[in-house]
Each structure stands twice: as structure tokens, then as C-alpha cells.
């Protein structure tokens, strides 16, 4: 028993430091050495945690629930930790029935004077279960409690719960702060195994803020951290977030490449959450390629073959359901999805999500009512600082105004949209907005930015986007195009396209000249 206890402690340290193989090896020996129920329950908790990172999430949820049941009488705090991880496993699987069961189990353990370090997990389970069930008013106090507790508690796990709760509430800045704090705290506490998980919410919160370069950096960091720690389920989560980022910018080839890279693991492991992100990204690709009927069918199914639909992500994707429904002449389907989204956005009061809600109502309405919704959406986009979504709203409203014979008003909106899309390197969206400008009678247009060849090297390099900087640095280090593509989960052709743009911006003609400019 003494040796088994030491091995379980060693396995715990290995797990925390992102060394799953060593943790599993220690556990295999430990469970053969003891019949002690408490030790075996702690071993089961660790095995469930390992399965959470690299295994079947439904198996992880079962192990963790079993461990919680065994630990509740002797190690209550550990039992609650097991329930928190069980809830995350159910969420990864897209199994909201099991999530609800886990939250109900946790609620039965709650004490009147619950300590903060366990209350944060219990409130998180309560709030997220109510959110998945669509009971948003019930979810709000629990989720707000989690955010408040996470700001006070030093443990990285509390800050991860807080980041997820703030993201669910639409408090994007707070979610980003807490997720960033979670990454820092995980390193400081020697719990590096939590870093990929924290980076999921760092990326998603940046995306909600329309800070695409920040989201891209967090997701790349998440992929590489999770890969180095053998947390392959987290790798897939970050890959599908990267796919969604590409799809939202209209980079369809990169989005499909990343979805394909994740698809096999999604199907084999039953990763419902990643599957839902992937389906959402693919629907955005369909919309960019003018296939609204395909996008609508994909969004209504969300994640076929992955064990179910992820309710939270399905609600998040509602604005694209509306876009697809309007595009293929089935507005009733968009209205149904929007009602759920409006209920959530209205309950949380998130300006970014309310803006999308009003945009969608503008697309589904006619006449003066449509104008009111579009104008309110633009106001809320500006208040929340969501520039990319502002540009899309201006494009959709400009299209509506042009067809309503108000070309002058349409041109003002569309010119602004072109500038914003160019700043995001959203080439397909730029082309679409320019086409609308021409149709609205624009004879001048918005001139694209030229090469920065006349500027000094440092200033020219400053003209590069975050993605171009990554590619340029890897090329400067001697990486081939294929190596760059593998490292950044891009297609070979996309890397070539970026390199042409980098060479044009910097006024260089070779890799040697590129290195000189960067130096």
C-alpha cells in the first residue's frame, strides 16, 4: 500500500506536468499493488483525467463519475474535482444528458457554507448544465459566481472555469483575461497539463472580440502544447478552432485542410464538441462558396457521426443558420434558430452577440423594421469593437439598401466594409464587397494597399500580418514550404500564396533577400 500510494502520487505529478505515458505506467503498477478502495479510486480519477486528454471522452466521463462516487465519503474535495472533469469529458463528447447527470450529482454534494475552492466547480457545473438546457436565467447567477470566484482564487483550474463562464456570458474581455491568467498560473503552479485547455478559451474569447491574430496565436500555441503533452483530444479542439478562424475570414482551402486533418480523430474518439466546431467551420466554407442550402443542412445536423450535437456550439452558430436560410429562401428555419440565440444574447446582455442578433433580425425583416435592426447592429458592433462582424453587417445591409434603391447609402457602408476586410486579409470578403460596390454604381472604389518597397526594412516588415510574420520567420529559419505548411496546418498552395504576398509587401524577390530584410 505504501508503494502504491507513492506511485499514485508520482502519477499525479506526471499528469499535472503533461507526461501521460509516465503517469499511465505508474498507475498500472499501483493498481496491482493495492486493494485499498481510496487509493484505487484516486487511481481511477487519474485514469479518467488521462482519458480526457487522450482517449474516449465517454469512457473518461464514466471513470470520473465512478471515482467521484468512491471518493465522496473520504475525499470530498477530490470527488468534486472528479465531477468537474467528468463534466468537461461529457462536454467534449457532446453528451448533455450525462452533463446534466453530473451537475445533479454535484448539486447533491453542495453544503450551505461551501468553501470557495470547491464552490467554483459546483457553480460551474450548475451554470453550464442550465445553459446547455436553454435555461439561461437560471444559469446566470451561477456563471457570474464562477467569474467572481475565479478572479479571487489562484488555482489555474478555477481560472479556466471562470474563462469558460465569462465566455458563455459573452464577457469576452473578462474571458480572455481569465484564460490568460490560467495559462500563467498553470506554469507557476507546475500544472502545465492544464495549459492546452486554458488556451481553448483564450482563443475563443479572442475570436469573440474579433481579434483574429490573437486567436490564431492562442490556437497555434494550444496545438503545439497539446501535441508535446500527448493530449490529442485538445489538439483536435484547437485544430477545429483554427479551421473556424480560416472559414470566417473566407480562406476556404485552409479551413477544409484543417477540418480534414481533424476529421479522423473526431470520428474515432466521438469528439462531439470538436465535431460541432468542424461542422460550423464547414458551413462557413459553404456560405463563402455560395452554397447556402448545403450550409443550412450542415448546421441543422451540426455533427453527424460524432455522438450528437453540442447544444452550446449550435446556439453560437445561429447567425450563420440565418445567413444560410435567407440565402436559400427558407427564412422560417433561420427564425427558429434565431429565437434561441436571442433568448441567450438577451439574457447575458453581451453587446457582441446582441449585435449579431439584430443583424439577423434585419436580414429576416422588411422595410423600416429591417433598417432599425441593421442600424442597431452597427452601433453595437462599434461599441463592442467587433470590426470583422461590423464589416459583414455593413455588407449585408449595403446589399439590402442597393436592392432597395438607396445606392448612395449602400456605397458608404460598402467602402468601409472593404477597408475592414482588407485589414483582416479576408480576400474573398473583399471581392464580395467590391462586387457590391460596383453594383451600387461605385466608379472610384477603394484602392488596395500597394507594396511597401519604398520603406526601410523594419517598417516594411511591420506591414506584415501576424500569419505572414509566422511564415516569414519559419522561412528565415530555413523551413521549406512543405515544412511551413505542416507546422502551421496550412495547405502547400496557401503557403505559396502567402509567400508571394510577403515578397510583394517587402519588395524582395528571394528567400535570401527576405532574410536580409528581416535581419
Amino acid at each position: 500500500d505504501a508503494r502504491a500510494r507513492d506511485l499514485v502520487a508520482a502519477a499525479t505529478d506526471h499528469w499535472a506536468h503533461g507526461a501521460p505515458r509516465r503517469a499511465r505506467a505508474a498507475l498500472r503498477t499501483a493498481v496491482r499493488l493495492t486493494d485499498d478502495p481510496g487509493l484505487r479510486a484516486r487511481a481511477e480519477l487519474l485514469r479518467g483525467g488521462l482519458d480526457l486528454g487522450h482517449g474516449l471522452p465517454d469512457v473518461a466521463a464514466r471513470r470520473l463519475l465512478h471515482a467521484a462516487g468512491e471518493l465522496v465519503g473520504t475525499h470530498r474535495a477530490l470527488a468534486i474535482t472528479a465531477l468537474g472533469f467528468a463534466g468537461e469529458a461529457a462536454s467534449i463528447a457532446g453528451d448533455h444528458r450525462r452533463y446534466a447527470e453530473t451537475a445533479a450529482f454535484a448539486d447533491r454534494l453542495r453544503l450551505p457554507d461551501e468553501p470557495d475552492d470547491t464552490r467554483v466547480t459546483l457553480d460551474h457545473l450548475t451554470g453550464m448544465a442550465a445553459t446547455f438546457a436553454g435555461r439561461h436565467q437560471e444559469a446566470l447567477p451561477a456563471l457570474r459566481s464562477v467569474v467572481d470566484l475565479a478572479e479571487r482564487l489562484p488555482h489555474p483550474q478555477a481560472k479556466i472555469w471562470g474563462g469558460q463562464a465569462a465566455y458563455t456570458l459573452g464577457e469576452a474581455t473578462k474571458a480572455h483575461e481569465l484564460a490568460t491568467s490560467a495559462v500563467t498560473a498553470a506554469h507557476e503552479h507546475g500544472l502545465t497539463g492544464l495549459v492546452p485547455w486554458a488556451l481553448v478559451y483564450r482563443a475563443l474569447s479572442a475570436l469573440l472580440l474579433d481579434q483574429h491574430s490573437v486567436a490564431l496565436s492562442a490556437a497555434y500555441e494550444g496545438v503545439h502544447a497539446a501535441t508535446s503533452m500527448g493530449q490529442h483530444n485538445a489538439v483536435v479542439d484547437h485544430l477545429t478552432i483554427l479551421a473556424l478562424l480560416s472559414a470566417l475570414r473566407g480562406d476556404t482551402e485552409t479551413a477544409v485542410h484543417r477540418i480534414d486533418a481533424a476529421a479522423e480523430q473526431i470520428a474515432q474518439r466521438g469528439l462531439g464538441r470538436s465535431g460541432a466546431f468542424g461542422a460550423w467551420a464547414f458551413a462557413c466554407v459553404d456560405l463563402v462558396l455560395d452554397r447556402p442550402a448545403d450550409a443550412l443542412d450542415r448546421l441543422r445536423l451540426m455533427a453527424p457521426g460524432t455522438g450528437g450535437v453540442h447544444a452550446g456550439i449550435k446556439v453560437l452558430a445561429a447567425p450563420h443558420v440565418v445567413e444560410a436560410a435567407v440565402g436559400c429562401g427558407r427564412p422560417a428555419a433561420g427564425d427558429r434558430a434565431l429565437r434561441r440565440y436571442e433568448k441567450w444574447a438577451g439574457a447575458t446582455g453581451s453587446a457582441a452577440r446582441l449585435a449579431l442578433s439584430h443583424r439577423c433580425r434585419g436580414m429576416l425583416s422588411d422595410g423600416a423594421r429591417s433598417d432599425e435592426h441593421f442600424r442597431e447592429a452597427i452601433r453595437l458592433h462599434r461599441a463592442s469593437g467587433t470590426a470583422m462582424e461590423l464589416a459583414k453587417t455593413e455588407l449585408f445591409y449595403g446589399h439590402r439598401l442597393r436592392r432597395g434603391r438607396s445606392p448612395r447609402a449602400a456605397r458608404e457602408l460598402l467602402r468601409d466594409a472593404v477597408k475592414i476586410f482588407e485589414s483582416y486579409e479576408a480576400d474573398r470578403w473583399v471581392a464580395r464587397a467590391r462586387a457590391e460596390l460596383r453594383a451600387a454604381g461605385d466608379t472610384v472604389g477603394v484602392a488596395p494597399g500597394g507594396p511597401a518597397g519604398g520603406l526601410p526594412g523594419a517598417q516594411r516588415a511591420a506591414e506584415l500580418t501576424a500569419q505572414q510574420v509566422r511564415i516569414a520567420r519559419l522561412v528565415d529559419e530555413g523551413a521549406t514550404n512543405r515544412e511551413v505548411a505542416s507546422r502551421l496546418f496550412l495547405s502547400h498552395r496557401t503557403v505559396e500564396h502567402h509567400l508571394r504576398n510577403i515578397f510583394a509587401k517587402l519588395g524582395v524577390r528571394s528567400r535570401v533577400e527576405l532574410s536580409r530584410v528581416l535581419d
Side-chain angles (χ1 to χ4, degrees):
D1 282 354
R3 188 177 172 210
R5 193 174 296 108
D6 289 343
L7 285 166
V8 169
T12 302
D13 287 342
H14 287 316
W15 177 38
H17 286 82
R21 289 185 181 178
R22 291 183 176 183
R24 287 188 188 278
L27 285 176
R28 279 195 296 271
T29 305
V31 295
R32 290 198 300 265
L33 293 173
T34 183
D35 292 322
D36 180 274
L39 273 177
R40 295 182 72 88
R42 290 179 65 182
E44 190 74 347
L45 165 57
L46 287 169
R47 289 170 70 188
L50 290 162
D51 286 339
L52 184 62
H54 178 61
L56 302 177
D58 61 334
V59 172
R62 286 200 299 271
R63 284 191 192 281
L64 290 160
L65 283 168
H66 177 256
E70 294 295 308
L71 289 166
V72 70
T74 54
H75 297 88
R76 182 175 177 277
L78 271 183
I80 291 172
T81 297
L83 290 173
F85 287 135
E88 179 64 10
S91 180
I92 290 172
D95 187 344
H96 300 304
R97 179 189 59 79
R98 178 162 281 154
Y99 199 104
E101 291 173 358
T102 304
F105 186 170
D107 195 52
R108 292 193 295 272
L109 300 185
R110 191 183 290 271
L111 299 174
D113 55 346
E114 191 68 50
D116 286 353
D117 57 350
T118 48
R119 182 182 160 201
V120 68
T121 302
L122 297 174
D123 284 354
H124 182 267
L125 287 165
T126 298
M128 293 307 299
T131 298
F132 293 146
R135 303 191 305 272
H136 301 298
Q137 291 298 334
E138 180 185 329
L140 291 181
L143 293 175
R144 286 177 179 144
S145 168
V146 174
V147 173
D148 291 342
L149 290 166
E151 290 186 291
R152 299 200 304 266
L153 293 168
H155 198 281
Q157 184 59 64
K159 297 192 180 298
I160 292 172
W161 294 145
Q164 186 177 0
Y167 176 76
T168 304
L169 290 167
E171 297 175 6
T173 301
K174 182 61 66 181
H176 196 258
E177 288 172 359
L178 285 168
T180 301
S181 296
V183 173
T184 303
H187 286 297
E188 289 176 349
H189 284 72
L191 299 172
T192 51
L194 295 176
V195 168
W197 192 359
L199 286 167
V200 167
Y201 293 100
R202 189 174 179 182
L204 289 176
S205 57
L207 183 55
L208 182 56
L209 290 164
D210 258 1
Q211 295 177 359
H212 285 219
S213 62
V214 177
L216 200 65
S217 294
Y220 276 139
E221 186 181 347
V223 166
H224 295 301
T227 301
S228 70
M229 297 177 198
Q231 295 183 17
H232 299 299
N233 292 343
V235 171
V236 176
D237 253 353
H238 284 287
L239 264 180
T240 52
I241 292 169
L242 285 168
L244 182 60
L245 276 162
S246 301
L248 291 171
R249 286 201 319 276
D251 186 353
T252 56
E253 185 172 329
T254 298
V256 171
H257 180 79
R258 289 168 172 169
I259 293 166
D260 287 346
E264 184 178 352
Q265 293 298 313
I266 289 171
Q268 285 183 355
R269 297 171 187 269
L271 305 178
R273 182 168 72 191
S274 297
F277 273 125
W280 184 9
F282 223 135
C284 291
V285 168
D286 287 330
L287 287 169
V288 170
L289 298 178
D290 197 23
R291 302 190 301 234
D294 291 345
L296 184 59
D297 289 342
R298 201 181 300 277
L299 288 164
R300 290 173 70 187
L301 292 172
M302 283 305 292
T306 62
V309 170
H310 196 286
I313 297 171
K314 190 167 185 178
V315 173
L316 282 173
H320 292 104
V321 176
V322 173
E323 187 181 337
V326 170
C328 63
R330 295 161 64 184
D335 184 70
R336 286 193 297 272
L338 181 57
R339 288 183 188 279
R340 291 189 291 271
Y341 189 86
E342 285 175 326
K343 184 180 176 184
W344 181 36
T348 61
S350 164
R353 289 175 180 152
L354 285 170
L356 295 176
S357 176
H358 280 286
R359 178 174 85 194
C360 291
R361 273 291 155 220
M363 296 173 75
L364 292 168
S365 305
D366 296 313
R369 190 69 177 150
S370 174
D371 290 340
E372 289 174 13
H373 282 296
F374 272 119
R375 285 196 290 268
E376 180 63 4
I378 288 170
R379 185 189 72 79
L380 288 165
H381 283 311
R382 287 175 175 154
S384 60
T386 49
M388 181 76 163
E389 293 301 334
L390 167 63
K392 290 180 181 179
T393 297
E394 289 176 329
L395 172 59
F396 297 149
Y397 190 24
H399 173 77
R400 179 68 62 95
L401 289 170
R402 175 181 68 79
R403 298 195 62 176
R405 301 188 179 183
S406 299
R408 181 179 295 177
R411 288 195 294 269
E412 290 178 10
L413 291 169
L414 292 167
R415 286 182 186 129
D416 189 50
V418 168
K419 290 177 183 176
I420 295 171
F421 288 140
E422 285 180 340
S423 73
Y424 279 85
E425 277 200 305
D427 294 342
R428 286 184 183 269
W429 287 103
V430 170
R432 186 169 165 182
R434 286 185 178 281
E436 278 293 336
L437 259 176
R438 289 192 296 273
D442 182 74
T443 55
V444 179
V446 180
L455 297 172
Q459 287 181 255
R460 280 182 275 160
E463 296 288 319
L464 299 180
T465 66
Q467 182 75 302
Q468 289 172 342
V469 167
R470 288 186 189 90
I471 291 169
R473 283 176 178 163
L474 288 171
V475 169
D476 185 37
E477 291 167 6
T480 66
N481 286 7
R482 292 197 180 278
E483 288 168 342
V484 172
S486 175
R487 175 79 177 169
L488 299 181
F489 301 96
L490 300 169
S491 70
H492 185 258
R493 203 162 57 174
T494 299
V495 173
E496 290 177 344
H497 169 74
H498 278 300
L499 266 179
R500 284 195 297 271
N501 288 339
I502 291 166
F503 281 19
K505 278 189 177 183
L506 299 183
V508 302
R509 291 174 295 179
S510 70
R511 290 174 181 245
V512 173
E513 289 182 21
L514 171 63
S515 293
R516 287 175 187 157
V517 170
L518 294 178
D519 290 343

